[in-house]
Amino acid sequence: MATNNNLSQRQAFDDIEDPSKFYDDDGRPKRTGTVWTASSHIITAVIGSGVLSLAWAVAQLGWIAGPSIMLLFSFVTLYTSSLLSDCYRLNDAVSGKRNYTYMDAVASILGGVNVRLCGIFQYLNLVGVAIGYTIAASISMKAIKRSNCFHENGRGKGCNVSSNPYMIGFGVIEVFLSQIPDFDQIWWLSIVAAVMSFTYSTIGLSLGIAKVAESGKIKGSLTGMSIGTVSEAHKIWRTFQAFGDIAFAYSYAVVLIEIQDTIRSPPSEAKSMKKATKISIAVTTTFYMLCGCMGYAALGDHSPPNLLTDFAFFNPFWLLDAANAAIAIHLVGAYQVFSQPIFAFIDKQASQRFPRSQLLSRQFKVPFLPGFAPYNLSLFRLLSRTCFVVLTTVVSMLLPFFNDVVGIMGALGFWPLTVYFPVEMYIRQTKIQKWSGRWVYLQILSMACLVVSVVAVVGSLAGVLLDLKKYKPFQSNY
């Protein structure tokens, strides 16, 4: 017995002597993420509400440009994400200094005014995505109510309802979930959300296939929505907006570094992240091509901005309800994936500015489930994160234009965050010579994506202005 005690004491001493068993090289607790948890985070971030607008986007572009542009965006995202993965550590992929956030990477590698510009684009984009997901979740919850009303009373029998109560309900749920301390602890939420995203994407795909089989023909045209069905000006604006919708559907670079910071090593975090990116982009592009193209094949020029909530399909109504419930559950998790970097930024800034504040340090132990340790409730975290959720909920109630918000957020975030900063950081980090072949190629890629982003912003803003002409804040059943 004494021998066993001595062995236990020696093992405990060895563990203390070897802190690498419990801590990483930066002194933080061991990261436990894998390629698969990183893939779950990416899929949760990428296969979001954006997939529901892809049939509409393909309808604006047609059978040639629609799938081609989706593939183009997927290749650009895959390539620039690989460049960004190499920026997690400085200089050395194995032992270099870690960058914990996207902004940390920009500050370490580029510095200067780039840091401020990155912060503006990143956090505006994250706030915009949170607003877009609040709108999308409320539309899905409202669609369940309307679907049941249509089933009982027939279409057009006073089934219009306001989105506002559903936005408030979604906000209340997010207030509770936002108290999860950091990104590393929401892995389970990402896995649930990823499963839900596959669920509703599969349902949308199946309904499209069934409708094509029922009608016996594939709808649509090579050039998309024809002039005559819409005016020439509307055709141009809608084409531009379609670029923004597709860009939004691939938007996750803004949280890539934060996801990479959850991955354990060895192998190097960059190697694991690149593998996770390949898996995730392959899966999401397959789903996007199937959902967008099958939706267009089934509905043609009448493809709606939101495939499952604009009642392009009516039966079986219980399947539509299940799909919309899956969307709402998925967006609950996706909201957290995009909001956690904002929460971490607020916490970091507050601790740096007010290091001795009792509000920041004070915590209360709240009993959790039996058998679980008490939850440490931070008063500052409760106040700051609740204010953020309230802000995004109120803005969502003011501007509930799903398709236009999706287009604007996708366009604003795509070039600076997915292309420009990763390219510039990679050039600086790997010391690529100016005017060399690789440098010229990367600059051409960046400029081409800038043009796409600009036209997408213009098209989406035109859509918002048209919607505002017929909208009354807090009163519309939009």
Side-chain angles (χ1 to χ4, degrees):
M1 190 72 172
T3 302
N4 289 338
N5 286 337
N6 289 336
L7 287 173
S8 298
Q9 290 173 1
R10 185 176 300 170
Q11 181 65 45
F13 179 77
D14 289 342
D15 288 343
I16 293 172
E17 289 293 309
D18 184 17
S20 64
K21 291 185 177 181
F22 302 102
Y23 298 97
D24 276 326
D25 54 0
D26 59 347
R28 295 193 176 189
K30 271 282 188 186
R31 292 160 176 83
T32 58
T34 64
V35 169
W36 299 108
T37 60
S39 298
S40 295
H41 285 315
I42 295 170
I43 290 170
T44 298
V46 178
I47 301 186
S49 55
V51 70
L52 302 175
S53 65
L54 289 179
W56 181 90
V58 175
Q60 312 314 308
L61 300 167
W63 279 117
I64 296 176
S68 299
I69 289 174
M70 272 198 280
L71 284 175
L72 183 61
F73 271 91
S74 71
F75 285 129
V76 170
T77 303
L78 179 62
Y79 180 68
T80 57
S81 296
S82 176
L83 302 184
L84 188 56
S85 299
D86 287 329
C87 299
Y88 173 66
R89 286 185 183 265
L90 289 177
N91 302 321
D92 190 291
V94 176
S95 59
K97 177 181 174 294
R98 297 173 187 262
N99 293 307
Y100 301 115
T101 67
Y102 196 115
M103 257 184 95
D104 286 346
V106 174
S108 300
I109 300 171
L110 298 178
V113 72
N114 288 288
V115 182
R116 186 165 296 177
L117 289 174
C118 173
I120 291 170
F121 281 114
Q122 182 183 13
Y123 292 111
L124 276 178
N125 187 261
L126 289 171
V127 172
V129 170
I131 292 168
Y133 281 179
T134 302
I135 295 169
S138 70
I139 291 173
S140 292
M141 290 186 280
K142 184 177 77 170
I144 296 174
K145 175 74 173 176
R146 293 182 67 198
S147 173
N148 293 329
C149 178
F150 288 157
H151 182 71
E152 292 174 4
N153 305 319
R155 194 175 181 188
K157 301 291 184 180
C159 293
N160 284 338
V161 292
S162 172
S163 299
N164 293 344
Y166 300 101
M167 291 186 188
I168 294 170
F170 183 83
V172 169
I173 294 171
E174 294 302 341
V175 166
F176 284 99
L177 290 177
S178 66
Q179 301 311 307
I180 298 173
D182 55 50
F183 214 130
D184 198 42
Q185 296 180 36
I186 65 169
W187 61 267
W188 59 273
L189 192 57
S190 283
I191 291 174
V192 171
V195 171
M196 292 298 103
S197 68
F198 283 123
T199 300
Y200 68 74
S201 297
T202 303
I203 292 173
L205 173 62
S206 302
L207 290 171
I209 293 172
K211 193 148 184 106
V212 170
E214 180 186 345
S215 65
K217 63 178 182 178
I218 295 176
K219 297 182 179 180
S221 64
L222 295 180
T223 57
M225 186 78 72
S226 59
I227 296 173
T229 306
V230 293
S231 68
E232 186 174 350
H234 276 75
K235 170 69 175 177
I236 294 172
W237 299 136
R238 287 181 172 211
T239 299
F240 290 171
Q241 187 180 338
F243 291 154
D245 285 4
I246 295 173
F248 181 84
Y250 282 102
S251 174
Y252 84 96
V254 67
V255 292
L256 185 146
I257 295 290
E258 283 81 355
I259 293 173
Q260 193 168 343
D261 191 46
T262 68
I263 298 175
R264 68 189 179 204
S265 63
S268 71
E269 299 87 356
K271 186 175 181 179
S272 297
M273 193 65 190
K274 289 176 183 178
K275 188 180 292 186
T277 297
K278 288 177 182 177
I279 293 170
S280 306
I281 295 296
V283 169
T284 54
T285 301
T286 301
F287 263 79
Y288 284 177
M289 293 291 286
L290 289 171
C291 291
C293 293
M294 286 309 303
Y296 183 43
L299 303 168
D301 289 349
H302 298 291
S303 299
N306 191 314
L307 191 62
L308 292 174
T309 60
D310 288 322
F311 298 97
F313 305 107
F314 285 92
N315 287 304
F317 81 98
W318 58 267
L319 189 61
L320 286 172
D321 288 352
N324 281 303
I327 292 170
I329 295 170
H330 168 257
L331 293 177
V332 165
Y335 183 102
Q336 287 300 313
V337 168
F338 281 97
S339 297
Q340 283 293 332
I342 297 177
F343 299 154
F345 176 76
I346 293 171
D347 292 347
K348 180 181 177 181
Q349 292 297 311
S351 62
Q352 289 178 349
R353 289 174 182 247
F354 310 102
R356 298 182 181 178
S357 171
Q358 290 188 354
L359 178 64
L360 296 176
S361 60
R362 193 169 186 183
Q363 294 187 343
F364 301 91
K365 290 192 177 296
V366 179
F368 197 51
L369 296 174
F372 287 85
Y375 171 74
N376 292 321
L377 176 66
S378 164
L379 189 58
F380 174 76
R381 190 164 61 224
L382 176 63
L383 292 173
S384 62
R385 299 186 181 188
T386 299
C387 288
F388 174 81
V389 174
V390 170
L391 172 66
T392 58
T393 303
V394 170
V395 174
S396 300
M397 292 165 67
L398 281 168
L399 296 171
F401 311 132
F402 171 73
N403 220 38
D404 300 323
V405 169
V406 162
I408 291 173
M409 290 305 108
L412 284 176
F414 177 70
W415 177 70
L417 300 172
T418 302
V419 181
Y420 173 75
F421 286 118
V423 164
E424 292 301 315
M425 286 192 289
Y426 182 76
I427 289 173
R428 183 75 61 87
Q429 178 104 315
T430 55
K431 298 178 174 61
I432 296 175
Q433 286 293 322
K434 196 172 185 179
W435 301 113
S436 65
R438 186 121 196 243
W439 184 91
V440 171
Y441 159 73
L442 289 170
Q443 296 301 327
I444 291 173
L445 172 66
S446 182
M447 288 301 101
C449 291
L450 172 60
V451 172
V452 171
S453 288
V454 169
V455 299
V457 168
V458 171
S460 298
L461 285 174
V464 169
L465 293 175
L466 289 173
D467 287 332
L468 285 173
K469 290 180 179 179
K470 56 184 179 181
Y471 174 68
K472 295 180 180 179
F474 300 111
Q475 297 178 21
S476 174
N477 293 328
Y478 189 89

